[in-house]
Amino acid sequence: MEFNLEYLIRDNIKSLAPYSTARHEFTGEASVMLDANENAIGSPVSLDIGNLHEPLNRYPDPLQLELKKQISNIKGVPVENIFCGNGSDEAIDVLMRIFCEPGIDNIIILPPTYGMYSVCAAINNVQVKEVPLTSDYQLDIQAIADAVDDRTKLIFICSPNNPTGNSINRQDIEIVLNNFDGIVVIDEAYINYARQKTFTTQLVDYPNLVVMQTLSKAWGLAALRIGLAFASKEIIGYMNNVKYPYNINEATQKLALQALKNVMQVNEWTKFTIAQRTWLEEALAKLPITEKIYPSDANFLLVKMKQANDVFTYLQSKGIIVRNRSTTKGCEGCLRITVGTEEENKKLIEALENYPG
Ligand SMILES: *Cc1c(COP(=O)(O)O)cnc(C)c1O
């Protein structure tokens, strides 16, 4: 069967008359705006960033055009192929609501992987089919093909994968893209730290491709909540119809615009974090409790440890919080450790060197 977007979209979404805001309907320069029932007098607080002094009484741009232009410049993806969400969580949820008929359709996830895909599916009453990654955390192509049925709408591939840290082989992802007639979502939250290249360059080749990225990791803006999705303009159009009209607030839009000027700074931080990852890897490898450190293309390490649970509790007692994945299928006995600052990483290693167990 051929890829057919219209066939994949839920009927109610295809026929949806989306909410049209006052700001959607008028885009020119206006001096008297009496169209949106805002408070024309002003706001009790305003946005002050650098030279910017902006009151907050007006609704923000529902399609975040200024922000998308800057993202377009940085990522080399046209504006019409970009979706901005209130975190990647929103992109995941919107995709599920566009494509998956509750109680009927299903998605495929590849555990161990990011927890949000299955939580979001559960909330939307969408069945989740799990096809575990292989023992070296790569795609089991045959098992994925076997799991696909005619109600499978989305396959989520996380690369670099959370919590394992590795990138998924590019050729394997391409096999899925070439053979699955539903939507392939590649979650590239950690792409800045990866040796592997992004898939955003291949949107023209694959009409069934959605690439997700985020400003929460390398960009250091987890608190702002901006997730990105890149896809065909048709898919992006549906995502814009389904999202809340003003999903990215004005303060976030303006702060992100300011932040996105700092590409060089972010690149430096990224290099530094990768160097610290190597340092942490070498230091962890010397510890008697370390059994295995998985190769990482992300800003964290998955580490198999003797008595992982006890080590986790011990670290906690020292005020050091890591992620306990020791009971997660495929990650037995493992802790997931984020690469911190130089000082934090040293504290972690010092604590582990003194582990009494
Ligand atoms: C951290 C992370 C995200 C980012 O989520 P946001 O909602 O954008 O903060 C997305 N996917 C994966 C796999 C992650 O680990």
Side-chain angles (χ1 to χ4, degrees):
M1 211 189 72
E2 285 277 288
F3 177 75
N4 181 339
L5 182 63
E6 296 305 311
Y7 171 83
L8 289 174
I9 306 272
R10 291 168 68 201
D11 289 334
N12 62 313
I13 302 298
K14 246 184 300 193
S15 61
L16 177 74
Y19 182 70
S20 184
T21 72
R23 293 297 117 85
H24 278 113
E25 286 165 9
F26 180 78
T27 52
E29 285 290 316
S31 57
V32 182
M33 297 204 290
L34 306 177
D35 60 340
N37 299 346
E38 296 149 340
N39 183 335
I41 303 165
S43 59
V45 294
S46 57
L47 201 56
D48 290 280
I49 317 163
N51 294 327
L52 182 75
H53 173 78
E54 188 187 304
L56 292 165
N57 53 323
R58 301 293 178 182
Y59 280 101
D61 176 4
L63 292 173
Q64 310 102 16
L65 209 58
E66 233 191 313
L67 181 58
K68 283 179 187 169
K69 278 183 192 158
Q70 207 163 324
I71 292 166
S72 171
N73 286 336
I74 293 169
K75 302 285 180 183
V77 176
V79 165
E80 63 187 17
N81 299 110
I82 302 174
F83 169 85
C84 293
N86 187 344
S88 305
D89 302 341
E90 184 180 16
I92 295 167
D93 186 58
V94 162
L95 286 169
M96 234 165 271
R97 286 190 286 147
I98 291 172
F99 291 105
C100 300
E101 198 63 42
I104 295 175
D105 290 332
N106 65 74
I107 67 164
I108 290 177
I109 66 166
L110 315 168
T113 194
Y114 188 45
M116 199 55 202
Y117 316 135
S118 56
V119 170
C120 192
I123 291 168
N124 286 295
N125 191 23
V126 169
Q127 188 205 343
V128 176
K129 294 193 181 191
E130 298 194 357
V131 180
L133 294 170
T134 60
S135 58
D136 55 350
Y137 298 140
Q138 290 297 328
L139 302 187
D140 186 338
I141 294 288
Q142 189 55 50
I144 293 171
D146 292 345
V148 170
D149 63 35
D150 57 4
R151 302 300 336 182
T152 305
K153 296 296 188 72
L154 306 170
I155 299 179
F156 283 91
I157 300 174
C158 190
S159 180
N161 186 41
N162 178 4
T164 60
N166 62 296
S167 288
I168 304 297
N169 294 334
R170 199 173 185 90
Q171 300 90 316
D172 289 348
I173 297 179
E174 282 168 354
I175 291 173
V176 178
L177 278 164
N178 282 315
N179 290 284
F180 177 53
D181 295 319
I183 303 292
V184 179
V185 184
I186 306 178
D187 187 344
E188 295 186 340
Y190 301 97
I191 194 68
N192 300 60
Y193 303 103
R195 281 153 278 225
Q196 181 153 156
K197 294 262 180 300
T198 175
F199 266 89
T200 54
T201 52
Q202 281 179 269
L203 291 170
V204 280
D205 306 322
Y206 298 109
N208 59 336
L209 170 63
V210 176
V211 179
M212 295 200 308
Q213 293 184 6
T214 180
L215 301 190
S216 297
K217 305 287 156 65
W219 276 92
L221 296 168
L224 276 195
R225 310 304 305 131
I226 295 189
L228 308 173
F230 306 94
S232 71
K233 70 172 193 298
E234 290 78 16
I235 294 176
I236 296 297
Y238 282 112
M239 294 181 82
N240 285 334
N241 288 351
V242 168
K243 74 179 182 70
Y244 289 157
Y246 301 109
N247 61 328
I248 312 283
N249 71 64
E250 181 68 6
T252 293
Q253 289 192 40
K254 285 286 144 68
L255 282 165
L257 264 174
Q258 199 71 17
L260 286 169
K261 291 176 183 165
N262 298 279
V263 179
M264 301 291 269
Q265 168 81 89
V266 168
N267 286 344
E268 266 172 48
W269 282 342
T270 302
K271 266 189 227 152
F272 180 80
T273 301
I274 292 170
Q276 282 293 301
R277 182 180 76 201
T278 305
W279 181 86
L280 206 53
E281 232 176 307
E282 288 166 0
L284 286 164
K286 290 183 192 133
L287 301 173
I289 48 171
T290 301
E291 285 189 343
K292 177 166 184 169
I293 306 167
Y294 290 87
S296 173
D297 245 1
N299 65 342
F300 58 84
L301 291 168
L302 187 71
V303 187
K304 189 165 189 176
M305 288 189 161
K306 293 180 188 124
Q307 310 156 8
N309 245 330
D310 296 339
V311 175
F312 172 78
T313 313
Y314 162 78
L315 284 174
Q316 213 169 21
S317 77
K318 300 278 167 196
I320 299 172
I321 314 300
V322 299
R323 195 90 155 126
N324 189 355
R325 297 280 94 168
S326 63
T327 56
T328 301
K329 212 166 152 236
C331 300
E332 286 82 1
C334 288
L335 302 179
R336 193 196 69 189
I337 303 173
T338 305
V339 179
T341 63
E342 201 170 358
E343 195 189 344
E344 288 171 333
N345 300 333
K346 278 187 181 145
K347 271 189 192 159
L348 170 79
I349 294 300
E350 201 177 280
L352 288 173
E353 280 169 349
N354 295 322
Y355 178 64

